[in-house]
Amino acid sequence: MGLERNIPGAVTSKLSTALNWARKNSLFQYPFVTACCGMEYMATLSNRYDLARFGAEIPRFSPRQADLLWVVGTVNHKLAPFLGRIYDQISDPKWVMSFGVCASTGGFYDNYATVQGIDKIVPVDVYIPGCPPRPEQVIDALVMLQEKIQREKFEEHYDRLPAMGDER
């Protein structure tokens, strides 16, 4: 039988399921805002769309206090090393959302100065399309990320760590 029959009122579960539930409902975000998508990011944080119901309402402005990196807007090559450093400073497990077409693919900036997608610098978990993306799209992407976090296994977070001696 199970522990539930022997001890009434007890709930049993896997530890990883409980940890993932807690992680997905308490995302501490670090906004890396560089361009016009920042206005839509701020609109998404407003009381009209209420990201608090998803557990991601308060941005942290120190990467050491965050576990979700939002890259919002255009990233140029001069800024790329700083983005990589910020990603390295975020605590594990960590996730990345690419906000808007400029962060995802470089957008209409097809030139020597713009990074053609932040996935060349950091691993991306969820891409949000649009120029700029609507707050509804951002909420859909956040829900997708939460579903991904709920399905993760504990060991997957350690596959992203660089090997000893690797440098960016």
Side-chain angles (χ1 to χ4, degrees), residues 83-143:
L83 176 60
R85 185 177 306 151
I86 286 172
Y87 176 79
D88 290 340
Q89 291 176 353
I90 292 177
S91 60
D92 285 319
K94 52 187 155 191
W95 301 279
V96 178
M97 291 180 74
S98 178
F99 192 109
V101 71
C102 291
S104 299
T105 64
F108 54 84
Y109 300 109
D110 190 13
N111 58 28
Y112 67 92
T114 305
V115 176
Q116 301 299 308
I118 62 161
D119 53 354
K120 294 175 175 38
I121 305 165
V122 295
V124 177
D125 293 297
V126 178
Y127 294 91
I128 306 172
C131 181
R134 296 282 308 141
E136 293 86 2
Q137 289 174 281
V138 177
I139 291 172
D140 286 344
L142 186 61
V143 169

Side-chain angles (χ1 to χ4, degrees), residues 129-162:
C131 181
R134 296 282 308 141
E136 293 86 2
Q137 289 174 281
V138 177
I139 291 172
D140 286 344
L142 186 61
V143 169
M144 285 175 51
L145 179 64
Q146 285 180 325
E147 290 169 356
K148 179 180 179 179
I149 292 170
Q150 186 64 50
R151 291 188 310 266
E152 283 183 346
K153 293 184 175 67
F154 185 73
E155 296 82 21
E156 289 179 13
H157 302 294
Y158 297 102
D159 295 339
R160 291 186 177 186
L161 296 176

Side-chain angles (χ1 to χ4, degrees), residues 8-21:
V11 177
T12 59
S13 177
K14 290 183 180 177
L15 180 61
S16 63
T17 304
L19 285 175
N20 288 343
W21 177 84

